[in-house]
């Protein structure tokens, strides 16, 4: 890397190696960043941005900042973007952004303003005159992290401390923001058993799929002793997706005439991966609204009856 | 027969009364004269219903004791040498204001003590009368409180040693008058009458305030002695302005032309109020003011001429209105106005005339108060009937009232030797003296005064005969009867005053006594022989009375119960010579139009500007509120637009 | 040319980030746009740092990253808690504050 930087010490013109680097990585960075604008699914966007971050890290290294390049990869790609993806998973990985604009003219306005910003920035760039590039090799003296550390713990010591405070506060803030005050007693195993008995629910774990069947795949429902289908035996995710195999498809000979096809099972129930189903049932909360209805209903109305139950922070 | 007036500097003459000497304890005690009725009024008002049982007794006692104190001060004054009779003394420092340092002081001299005695004596009698007259009124205690308040304010008015202290009393009597005219304010017309009197008085007060402001800017003082000493060298214009402003104040308070319209309506108050305030004392305060301010008027001949004109006009005005009124009290009110016109005329004649003005004021206070009390007695007997056309033949039923009223009647006619003869005839005689050598003035004002005497005789005789003589015209429900002793005794005392007071005052040398307080007068010769004037006056009086007898009193006379249709002059007189119409057209309507215009300007321009501003801000706010749509992306767009704009500006400047 | 090219790249990235904030409604993606803008700034910092031959620009970029990390932690926590209560991550649905 220092080789690349040294090649560029000639001043205003990039060295050939740097040109190669720049014109290879630059378009990749821009293209992957454009996914922010055009990718429909958030996960795709997150992955593209990760690529952007890595590309930028490469450029940082090319600019004579290997330490920052590493930090970029570690912090952005490794931590921040992972956090984004984690949150994406938390809120539903397949939530896709509708491109139907709700604010009239906002997209055109955004485009217009983007072009305007590009124009003024380009104008500024065109106007500006730059001095000869000096390069950071001299001050880095072959040990860029060491040089940064020297500066960081001398001139920028106070800033460093303040930033440390900021990080602690941010961590506490995240804890506070995501913390949920328990409104009810924590349920023990005995309590849950009592609830199940009272509600007439199954005490034992659901039967595994494929029991007494020709196939033991997870998408094939189990049969009970009477030969009837046990719906619960198929994982909820598969049922929700409608990927349950019917008996009709796998074992025609075992199918009793009166057994209804499993396809008729309700598919509109979203299984909440965040909230523990049993706890919710014990707290007698209303079932979470279906995603489709939440999308269709006016924004303010649908979630309101859920909010007070979940958001109460003091008992 | 041109009056040879010695040319002396105006004002200097009036300063003959020196303010030197020390105040005696009796004079100093005069503050008690004011304080007693004031404290009594405060007690009666503050004690509330608890004082209902004994309130009227306290109310009578306060002016009675004040009268005793006044008598003491009077004899003390008589015992002093003539040069030391004017006593000024300061009660307390009132307005310490640097160059304007005014003390709250009283002036005890012949003039003020004359008023003190008149107010307290007549006031006490009327208080006694009121005990019986108001016996059945549930608010009798409040009535006495107001009466005491009036007496206190009136005494403060006459005892003041500066215009500002006088003004306090001036406003006080105005307030008491307002409260008492509207005493039965459950009747709307009475309340309106009270308001009318109050507003008319405010116009006069405006003059008083202007006068004091001019005094303050020119002389830096409003004390009588200092103002009068300045009057000798101040510019005639200044003095004329002050004098005219004072005259305006006097016109308001004394119901003189052109502010005369309130007095007739003021008869809405209980009759003792009419007797005390609107006949004997308060309405004469204007005359007092003009006489007290003599040095100023003496130095402002033009203003004095205006005083004469006002007096003459009011004299005739009241007499003409009095000839046509059928309402007994309103006829008496018109008579009061006319008689005060006489006083004003006399006060405008100079120091000598002023003496007779005050003398007529005193005698008038007695006989007019007596007649008002008589009228109250008649009303008492006739169920509050005031229409004279429904009286008649009352002499058989109300002997004492009839006789006392007759004394008053003879006194106001100026029949010798009754009281009016000694005061009113002197005024008529003085009116024929040419002031400042202006002979035409003597003829004009003398003739007016003479004519007024004849008219007075006619309308007072008309009133007297219509009430007490002729055929009985009342209904069967009315049972005339004599009033109780509490009412008749004051009437008898006042009637005695009407008979003998003029004689007593003349014999006792009241004019010389009073002149000590004013100035040296210059007795000029009338343009006509004095006995000729006297004879002419008497002839006119007899003629007026005889006509009235023929038409209203004699057995052959018939008085229709309903007022007959008559010619324009009498119709105009019945309508107070259209004074209300004129006021309405000249003042009320333009005033209302002005106010309406001001209101419109206020709502249109001032409020309109404010509302327009509010509307503008609201509209801007409504537009801006749309930006505040809650969409974070819109806010981000705004921020970005700002960034672009700022960058563009920087780029543009950077060129 | 050297600095200009990097600055042009930084500008392009910044504009992409800004337009993302304006156009996208998924708050997570909007947040990524913000991060992209920060990174564009960092790129400019480093380019200038090299131009002047001083390390202060690199340090500024370092602090930007630290602050960005803190910001992301808090921001994502907000998004999570919002999602819990509102069942949505659309920024257009979070407009209750205007009332």
């Amino acid at each position: 890397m220092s080789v690349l930087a040294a090649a560029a010490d000639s001043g205003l013109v990039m060295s050939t190696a740097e040109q190669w680097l720049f014109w290879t990585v630059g378009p990749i960075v821009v293209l992957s960043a454009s996914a922010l604008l055009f990718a429909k699914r958030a996960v795709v966007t997150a992955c593209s941005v990760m690529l952007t971050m890595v590309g930028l890290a490469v450029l940082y290294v090319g600019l004579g900042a290997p330490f920052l390049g590493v930090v970029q990869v570690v912090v952005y790609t490794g931590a921040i973007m992972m956090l984004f993806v984690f949150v994406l998973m938390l809120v539903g990985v397949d939530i896709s952004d509708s491109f139907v604009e709700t604010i009239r003219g906002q997209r055109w306005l955004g485009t217009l303003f983007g072009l305007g910003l590009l124009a003024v920035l380009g104008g500024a760039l065109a106007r500006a005159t730059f001095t000869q590039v000096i390069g950071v090799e001299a001050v880095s003296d072959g040990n860029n992290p060491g040089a940064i550390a020297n500066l960081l713990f001398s001139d920028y010591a106070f800033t460093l401390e303040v930033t440390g405070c900021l990080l602690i506060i941010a961590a506490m803030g995240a804890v506070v923001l995501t913390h949920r005050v328990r409104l009810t007693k924590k349920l023990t195993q005995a309590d849950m058993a009592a609830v199940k008995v009272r509600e007439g629910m199954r005490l034992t774990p659901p039967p595994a799929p494929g029991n007494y069947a020709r196939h033991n795949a997870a998408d094939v429902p189990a049969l009970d002793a009477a030969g009837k289908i046990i719906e619960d035996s198929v994982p909820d995710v598969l049922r929700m997706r409608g990927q349950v195999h019917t008996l009709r498809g796998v074992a025609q000979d075992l199918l009793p005439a009166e057994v209804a096809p499993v396809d008729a099972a309700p598919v509109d129930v979203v299984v909440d991966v965040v909230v523990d189903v049993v706890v919710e049932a014990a707290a007698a909360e209303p079932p979470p609204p279906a995603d489709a209805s939440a999308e269709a209903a006016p924004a303010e109305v649908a979630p309101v009856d859920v909010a007070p139950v979940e958001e109460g922070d003091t008992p | 027969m041109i009056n040879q007036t010695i040319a002396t500097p105006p004002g200097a003459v009036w300063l003959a009364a020196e303010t030197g000497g020390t105040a005696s304890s009796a004079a100093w005690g005069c503050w008690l004269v004011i304080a007693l009725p004031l404290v009594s009024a405060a007690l009666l008002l503050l004690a509330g219903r608890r004082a209902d049982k004994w309130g009227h007794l306290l109310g009578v006692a306060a002016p009675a004791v004040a009268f005793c104190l006044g008598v003491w001060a009077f004899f003390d004054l008589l015992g002093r040498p003539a040069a030391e009779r004017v006593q000024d003394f300061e009660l307390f420092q009132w307005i310490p204001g640097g160059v304007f340092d005014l003390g709250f002081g009283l002036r005890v001299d012949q003039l003020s003590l004359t008023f003190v005695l008149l107010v307290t004596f007549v006031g006490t009698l009327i208080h006694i009368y009121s005990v019986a007259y108001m016996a059945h009124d549930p608010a009798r205690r409040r009535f006495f409180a107001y009466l005491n308040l009036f007496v206190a304010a009136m005494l403060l008015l006459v005892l003041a040693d500066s215009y500002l202290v006088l003004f306090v009393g001036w406003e006080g009597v105005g307030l008491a008058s307002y409260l008492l005219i509207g005493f039965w304010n459950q009747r709307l017309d009475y309340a309106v009458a009270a308001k009318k009197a109050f507003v008319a008085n405010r116009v006069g007060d405006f003059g008083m305030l202007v006068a004091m402001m001019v005094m303050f800017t020119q002389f830096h003082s409003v004390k009588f002695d200092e103002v009068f000493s300045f009057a000798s060298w101040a510019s005639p214009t200044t003095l004329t302005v002050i004098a005219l402003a004072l005259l305006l104040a006097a016109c308001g308070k004394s119901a003189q032309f052109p502010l005369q319209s309130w007095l007739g309506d003021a008869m809405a108050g209980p009759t003792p109020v009419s007797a005390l305030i609107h006949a004997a004392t308060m309405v004469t305060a204007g005359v007092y003011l003009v006489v007290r301010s003599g040095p100023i008027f003496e130095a402002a001949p033009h203003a004095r001429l205006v005083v004469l004109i006002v007096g003459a006009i009011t004299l005739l005005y009241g007499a003409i209105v009095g000839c046509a009124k059928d309402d007994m009290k309103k006829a008496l009110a018109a008579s009061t106005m006319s008689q005060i016109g006489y006083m004003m005329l006399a006060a405008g004649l100079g120091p000598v005339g002023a003496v007779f003005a005050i003398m007529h004021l005193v005698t008038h206070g007695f006989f007019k108060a007596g007649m008002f009390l008589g009228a109250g007695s008649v009303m008492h007997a006739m169920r509050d009937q005031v229409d004279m056309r429904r009286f008649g033949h009352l002499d058989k039923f109300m002997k004492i009232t009839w006789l006392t009223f007759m004394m008053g009647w003879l006194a106001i006619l100026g029949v010798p030797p009754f009281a009016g003869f000694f005061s009113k005839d002197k005024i008529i005689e003085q009116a024929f003296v040419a002031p400042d050598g202006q002979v035409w003035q003597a003829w004009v004002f003398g003739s007016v005064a003479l004519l007024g005497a004849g008219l007075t005789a006619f309308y007072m005789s008309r009133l007297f005969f219509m009430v007490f003589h002729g055929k009985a015209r009342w209904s069967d429900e009315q049972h005339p009867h004599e009033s109780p002793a509490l009412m008749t005794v004051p009437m008898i005392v006042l009637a005695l005053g009407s008979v003998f007071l003029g004689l007593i005052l003349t014999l006792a040398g009241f004019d010389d006594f009073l002149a000590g307080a004013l100035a040296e007068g210059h007795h000029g010769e009338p343009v006509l022989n004095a006995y000729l004037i006297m004879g002419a006056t008497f002839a006119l009086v007899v003629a007026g009375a005889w006509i009235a007898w023929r038409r209203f009193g004699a057995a052959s006379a018939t008085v229709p119960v309903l007022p007959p249709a008559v010619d324009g002059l009498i119709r105009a007189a019945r309508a107070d010579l259209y004074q209300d119409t004129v006021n309405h057209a000249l003042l009320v309507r333009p005033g209302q139009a002005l106010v309406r215009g001001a209101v419109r300007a206020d709502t249109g321009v001032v409020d309109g500007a404010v509302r327009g501003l509010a509307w503008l801000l609201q509209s801007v706010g409504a537009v801006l509120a749309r930006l505040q749509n809650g969409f974070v992306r819109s806010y981000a767009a705004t921020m970005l637009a700002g960034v672009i704009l700022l960058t563009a500006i920087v780029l543009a400047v950077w060129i | 040319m050297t600095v200009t090219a990097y600055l042009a790249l930084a500008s392009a990235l910044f504009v992409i980030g800004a337009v993302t904030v304006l156009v996208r409604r998924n708050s997570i993606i909007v947040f990524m746009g913000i991060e992209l803008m920060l990174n564009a700034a960092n790129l400019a910092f480093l380019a200038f740092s090299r131009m002047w031959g001083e390390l202060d620009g690199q340090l500024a970029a370092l602090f930007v990253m630290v602050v960005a990390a803190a910001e992301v932690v808090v921001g994502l926590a907000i998004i999570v808690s919002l999602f819990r209560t509102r069942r949505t991550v659309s920024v257009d649905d979070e407009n209750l504050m205007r009332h």
Side-chain angles (χ1 to χ4, degrees), chain B residues 467-481:
Chain B
V467 172
F468 292 104
H469 296 278
K471 298 188 185 69
R473 296 181 297 276
W474 65 81
S475 66
D476 296 335
E477 294 149 17
Q478 290 164 318
H479 306 289
H481 55 88

Side-chain angles (χ1 to χ4, degrees), chain B residues 629-631 633 636-637 640, chain C residues 21-25 92 95 98:
Chain B
N629 54 8
F631 290 120
R633 292 191 295 148
L640 190 57
Chain C
V21 173
L22 292 195
V23 172
R24 299 304 295 255
R25 279 183 297 156
D92 287 358
N95 60 357
R98 76 174 164 168

Side-chain angles (χ1 to χ4, degrees), chain B residues 123-192:
Chain B
T124 306
L125 289 177
I126 290 174
H127 275 73
I128 294 168
Y129 178 93
S130 304
V131 172
Y133 189 85
M134 301 295 284
H136 303 298
D137 196 301
R140 182 170 67 168
R141 171 192 50 80
R142 192 160 55 88
F143 180 78
F144 274 92
Y146 291 162
L147 272 188
N148 278 348
L149 174 66
F150 166 77
V151 170
M154 187 70 201
L155 291 171
L156 180 64
L157 193 162
V158 296
L159 280 169
D161 79 333
S162 68
Y163 281 101
L164 200 58
V165 179
L166 183 147
F167 190 63
V168 175
W170 189 268
E171 291 300 306
V173 295
L175 170 68
S177 162
Y178 167 76
L179 290 172
L180 286 165
I181 293 171
F183 189 73
W184 290 318
N185 55 11
Q186 62 269 33
R187 279 191 55 178
L188 183 65
D189 50 343
Y190 288 5
V192 169

Side-chain angles (χ1 to χ4, degrees), chain A residues 151-225:
Chain A
L151 210 54
L152 192 62
F153 294 113
S154 59
D155 290 358
Y156 290 90
F158 183 68
T159 320
L160 182 73
E161 297 296 329
V162 173
T163 339
C165 291
L166 181 72
L167 278 175
I168 292 171
I169 293 168
M172 285 169 59
V175 170
V176 169
L177 279 169
T178 51
H179 177 68
R180 298 169 90 188
V181 175
R182 181 174 288 281
L183 296 174
T184 54
K185 191 169 76 75
K186 184 173 184 186
L187 291 178
T188 62
Q189 201 171 5
D191 294 329
M192 283 199 262
V195 167
K196 283 176 179 172
V197 169
R198 194 167 62 235
E199 304 280 326
M201 290 163 71
R202 189 200 303 275
L203 272 173
T204 56
N211 274 3
Y212 308 113
R214 296 282 171 82
H215 298 263
N216 59 355
D219 57 349
V220 179
L223 298 176
D224 64 3

Side-chain angles (χ1 to χ4, degrees), chain A residues 69-85:
Chain A
V70 173
V71 170
Q72 170 84 359
V73 172
V74 171
V75 172
Y76 267 105
T77 320
I80 294 181
M81 290 320 296
M82 279 305 120
L83 204 56
F84 268 107
V85 174

Side-chain angles (χ1 to χ4, degrees), chain B residues 435-455:
Chain B
D436 311 324
Q438 303 282 335
V439 181
W440 66 270
Q441 285 186 21
W443 283 105
V444 169
F445 296 120
S447 311
V448 166
L450 200 59
L451 181 62
L455 283 172

Side-chain angles (χ1 to χ4, degrees), chain A residues 87 91, chain C residues 27-28 31 74-84 89:
Chain A
V87 171
V91 302
Chain C
S27 53
I28 299 170
F31 214 172
V74 176
L76 287 178
I78 291 173
I79 289 174
V80 166
S81 61
L82 273 177
F83 180 75
R84 262 191 208 152
V89 290

